[in-house]
């Protein structure tokens, strides 16, 4: 492919929501910007597919009411939301593998577990409220909170085993996508604090409240459309040469020369880029200390959402099962039935070592426990294991092991010469959600604007 050179004021690496939000905000301020994206599509961890003639999602998708930057962006782009389907009875599968259908908010855990869960939930909330989501490492007891694992906190503070299992499954499985003994209490609290400040906001009614009409990738597609030919696809960046006031970003087939740069890729992927001069030692150590969680998202497709006819919502939880959670992800017109689950953390690691056929059988048998045997016979079955995606290498996001947040937190957004950083993984509010990607992109854009302002 012939090499071409693009001159711009700001070069953005990564066309996910963060990079495109940064570029959109820079362009709106009159800056000349170019976005280099490795994949043949924009959207990164959001990725549409089509089911029943309508958009569906292989990656991130749900929008919560608290996510103000997201709501603002959707309005600017003329994109609408629709409520996620959750009418009817939900399912809870107990430690003995028995399925219970229940109405309303609270799963029938049993009195002792419910009480213990409520108490633990309140403790986490009050600790999370003490944190500044933009700088959790500045909490007066940050070091203490960062040296104990979430697992050891559960063992010490939550007396009931079912409550512990549920909480472990929720925060470790549902959000960090890593085992509870591999991240600190502080890292877990950051997740809660960044997602609106209470454990309650992790509930499906909040966190999974809305879906995006046209599928969530449409957010990036629309931003890219407005940026036009300033977004270059199939341009994996291999080298970044930088000095004070200039960056030269070299991708396959194209080089961008700019005064300032935004690296809008998750921290685990900056390790795959060669910097010249090499990045400062603190930045190299920080990126090495962060790793992605493990997520395999599954969509099982049926002719119709048959569970709805049986009074079931398709939503449920089972902390002890491979299919730990289940949701109705059918298109808004119900032109097909879609159930989705996420194999997360240790479940993803174990399932990833099974043959594709065995994994499919285990997953579908697991889904059948929620909504009946018909779930085991889908017309289509789609898996996306994000750890195997070259330009992501895990999901939902990156996090530190114990001690990492207090050692490196302050370095997360620290610029290096003309290079600023963006991506949801380093965001405060909306951390590891699309909301965080938008906010971090805008923050990096503001920092770059200062740098490229006429002197
Ligand atoms: P990314 O989307 O990772 O974007 C980074 C971009 O950089 C990518 O496009 C990548 O291709 C590109 N890139 C990487 N390396 C290079 C390189 N060397 N050169 C050029 N380009 C490069 N969030 C929610 O809010 N709600 C949800 O329901 C939700 N569910 C999720 C479910 C799944 C299965 C997954 C995977 C994520 C989910 N998320 C959810 C998280 C959400 O998708 C992410 O927080 C968000 O999309 C991250 O955006 P980003 O721009 O920060 O990073």
């Amino acid at each position: 492919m012939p090499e071409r050179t693009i001159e711009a004021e700001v070069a953005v690496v990564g066309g996910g929501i963060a990079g495109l939000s940064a570029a959109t905000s820079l362009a709106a301020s009159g800056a000349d910007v170019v976005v280099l994206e490795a994949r043949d599509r924009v959207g990164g961890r959001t990725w549409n597919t089509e089911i029943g003639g309508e958009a569906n999602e292989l990656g991130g998708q749900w929008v919560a009411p608290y996510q103000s930057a997201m709501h603002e962006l959707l309005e600017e782009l003329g994109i609408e939301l629709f409520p996620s389907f959750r009418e009817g009875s939900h399912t809870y599968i107990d430690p003995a593998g028995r399925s219970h259908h229940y109405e309303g908010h609270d799963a029938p855990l049993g009195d002792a577990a419910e009480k213990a869960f409520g108490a633990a939930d309140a403790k986490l909330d009050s600790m999370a409220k003490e944190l500044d989501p933009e700088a959790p490492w500045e909490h007066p007891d940050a070091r203490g909170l960062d040296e104990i694992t979430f697992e050891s906190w559960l063992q010490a503070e939550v007396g009931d085993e079912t409550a512990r299992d549920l909480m472990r499954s929720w925060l470790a499985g549902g959000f960090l996508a890593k085992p509870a003994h591999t991240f600190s209490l502080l890292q877990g609290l950051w997740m809660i604090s960044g997602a609106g400040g209470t454990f309650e906001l992790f509930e499906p009614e909040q966190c999974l409240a809305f879906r995006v009409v046209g599928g969530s990738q449409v957010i990036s597609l629309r931003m890219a459309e407005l940026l036009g030919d300033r977004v270059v696809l199939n341009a994996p960046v291999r080298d970044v040469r930088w000095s004070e006031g200039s960056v030269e970003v070299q991708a396959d087939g194209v080089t961008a020369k700019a005064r300032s740069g935004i690296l809008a890729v998750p921290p685990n992927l900056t390790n795959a880029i060669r910097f010249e001069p090499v990045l400062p030692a603190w930045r190299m150590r920080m990126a090495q200390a962060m790793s992605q969680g493990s997520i395999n998202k599954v969509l099982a497709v049926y002719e119709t959402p048959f569970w709805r006819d049986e009074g079931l919502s398709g939503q449920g939880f089972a902390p002890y099962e491979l299919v730990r959670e289940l949701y109705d992800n059918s298109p808004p017109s119900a032109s097909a039935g879609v159930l989705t689950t996420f194999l997360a953390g240790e479940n993803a690691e174990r399932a990833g070592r099974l043959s594709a056929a065995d994994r499919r059988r285990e997953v579908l048998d697991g889904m059948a426990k929620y909504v009946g045997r018909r779930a085991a016979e889908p017309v289509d079955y789609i898996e996306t294991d994000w750890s195997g995606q070259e330009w992501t290498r895990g999901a939902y996001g990156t996090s530190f092991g114990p001690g990492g947040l207090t050692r490196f937190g302050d370095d997360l957004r620290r610029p290096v010469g003309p290079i600023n950083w963006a991506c949801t993984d380093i965001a405060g509010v909306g951390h590891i959600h699309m909301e965080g990607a938008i906010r971090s992109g805008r923050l990096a854009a503001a920092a770059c604007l200062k740098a490229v302002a006429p002197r």
Side-chain angles (χ1 to χ4, degrees), residues 13-19 36-39 41-46 58-63 67 208 235-238 264-266 269 273 295 297 342 386 391-392 394-396 422-425 432-435 437 440:
V13 179
I17 294 178
L36 301 181
E37 165 55 47
R39 289 172 158 109
R41 61 169 184 86
V42 291
R45 279 170 270 182
T46 58
L58 303 169
Q61 61 171 66
W62 285 292
V63 174
Q67 293 170 342
L208 316 183
V237 169
R238 313 286 181 186
V265 305
L269 290 185
I273 298 173
I295 290 291
K297 180 174 180 177
F342 302 87
W386 284 85
W391 301 110
T392 310
Y396 304 107
C423 71
T424 192
D425 314 65
I432 302 194
H433 287 84
M434 297 185 281
E435 171 79 5
S440 89

Side-chain angles (χ1 to χ4, degrees), residues 36-188:
L36 301 181
E37 165 55 47
R39 289 172 158 109
D40 61 0
R41 61 169 184 86
V42 291
R45 279 170 270 182
T46 58
W47 189 11
N48 281 3
T49 185
E50 199 181 284
I51 296 178
E54 292 173 72
N56 217 291
E57 290 102 339
L58 303 169
Q61 61 171 66
W62 285 292
V63 174
Y66 84 87
Q67 293 170 342
S68 57
M70 172 59 90
H71 289 280
E72 193 185 292
L73 178 63
L74 291 171
E75 197 169 326
E76 278 166 28
L77 297 173
I79 298 171
E80 295 191 345
L81 295 172
F82 66 99
S84 306
F85 184 88
R86 58 172 51 86
E87 285 160 31
S89 301
H90 311 316
T91 306
Y92 166 65
I93 303 175
D94 70 18
R98 289 179 300 243
S99 306
H100 304 265
H101 298 310
Y102 65 98
E103 308 274 330
H105 178 266
D106 296 320
L109 305 178
D111 283 351
E114 273 167 38
K115 219 169 138 194
F117 187 86
D121 183 345
K123 276 186 206 165
L124 286 174
D125 278 4
S126 77
M127 287 190 284
K129 284 203 179 82
E130 290 172 3
L131 297 186
D132 172 0
E134 301 303 329
W137 49 89
E138 284 177 3
H139 184 280
D141 186 29
R143 196 177 165 121
L145 297 170
D146 205 24
E147 73 189 21
I148 59 165
T149 64
F150 184 56
E151 180 63 38
S152 39
W153 182 83
L154 286 173
Q155 298 292 343
E157 298 289 334
V158 186
D160 182 89
E161 202 179 329
T162 307
R164 255 194 326 261
D165 293 339
L166 197 66
M167 204 144 241
R168 186 186 293 121
S169 149
W170 215 233
L171 190 62
F175 287 91
L176 274 297
K178 286 180 173 178
H181 63 278
T182 64
F183 61 90
S184 72
L185 175 60
L186 185 66
Q187 185 84 52

Side-chain angles (χ1 to χ4, degrees), residues 9-10 26 244-246 259-261 415 417-420 444-455:
E9 283 172 300
V10 184
L26 285 160
E244 240 9 273
S246 93
R259 284 167 61 188
S260 161
I419 301 169
N420 280 280
C448 274
L449 274 177
K450 271 197 212 150
V452 299
R455 275 161 260 184

